[in-house]
Amino acid sequence: MQEHLLSTSRFSVERRVFAGADGRSITREVVVHPGAVVILPIIDAHRIVMIRNFRYTIEQELWELPAGTAEPNESPIETARRELEEETGYRAGTMTPLTEFYTSPGVLTERMFAFVATDLTSVGQRLEHGERIVAEVVELDLVRRWLVNGELRDGKTIAVLGTYFARL
């Protein structure tokens, strides 16, 4: 059973009833999300593109990898290509899947698909209304230090960079 509680332009909230391990009912409020992508744009062996993104919810600017929510009927790779261009101003010649994960499975259905973007061409940033994003080319060694020292605070960025560095 599910009860619709709220709809927004990006997600909805439902109350759902599940069968527990002992057979008794468990009720949970679930944020239903269409899915999203995160992209690791690689300039060369020593540099990547990151964004400084002002997050209204926490009223802070964070260093992040570009990312975004899927539009209706849009595949993850299409979302990745679109978001990379919008947020960084780069177009990828090659977009390679890296990993996928659930961002917060205790309350949220969001499944995030991570891609590595290479063969980048500058085409100009196209931010959506309200976005406060600055794209910057950053040395990979510096990014690794930020990751190890706990200076990055965006979960998807930490997950993707951790996966990438672990595979090197």
Side-chain angles (χ1 to χ4, degrees):
M1 182 186 99
Q2 66 186 37
E3 174 187 359
H4 185 80
L5 301 176
L6 171 73
S7 286
T8 75
S9 62
R10 297 264 182 197
F11 63 87
S12 63
V13 180
E14 297 175 356
R15 181 171 291 124
R16 295 181 176 177
V17 179
F18 302 93
D22 62 2
R24 293 189 302 174
S25 294
I26 298 170
T27 303
R28 296 285 187 268
E29 285 72 36
V30 177
V31 178
V32 180
H33 191 279
V37 300
V38 56
I39 307 104
L40 174 56
I42 297 178
I43 298 287
D44 57 37
H46 305 286
R47 300 176 302 154
I48 66 171
V49 180
M50 292 189 73
I51 60 174
R52 288 185 290 119
N53 192 358
F54 183 82
R55 293 296 187 173
Y56 293 97
T57 52
I58 59 171
E59 297 181 344
Q60 292 180 37
E61 184 180 77
L62 298 178
W63 279 101
E64 301 179 13
L65 293 174
T69 301
E71 297 291 339
N73 303 312
E74 188 176 52
S75 71
I77 198 161
E78 290 170 325
T79 305
R81 289 187 183 285
R82 177 179 53 77
E83 288 291 344
L84 178 66
E85 286 188 34
E86 287 176 5
E87 293 189 356
T88 69
Y90 286 94
R91 180 174 294 143
T94 304
M95 190 74 75
T96 307
L98 177 66
T99 191
E100 58 186 72
F101 54 93
Y102 291 98
T103 57
S104 188
V107 296
L108 178 64
T109 65
E110 181 182 31
R111 184 173 173 189
M112 186 158 276
F113 297 84
F115 294 89
V116 174
T118 55
D119 305 319
L120 302 180
T121 303
S122 181
V123 295
Q125 197 177 34
R126 295 187 328 270
L127 297 178
E128 293 180 16
H129 174 72
E131 287 183 319
R132 290 168 50 184
I133 295 173
V134 176
E136 293 190 27
V137 175
V138 183
E139 294 291 325
L140 208 48
D141 287 341
L142 177 60
V143 173
R144 187 189 308 263
R145 281 198 303 275
W146 288 346
L147 181 64
V148 170
N149 294 335
E151 295 176 56
L152 297 173
R153 299 189 308 165
D154 174 62
K156 68 186 175 305
T157 299
I158 293 167
V160 169
L161 289 172
T163 300
Y164 179 75
F165 287 131
R167 292 184 183 178
L168 285 181

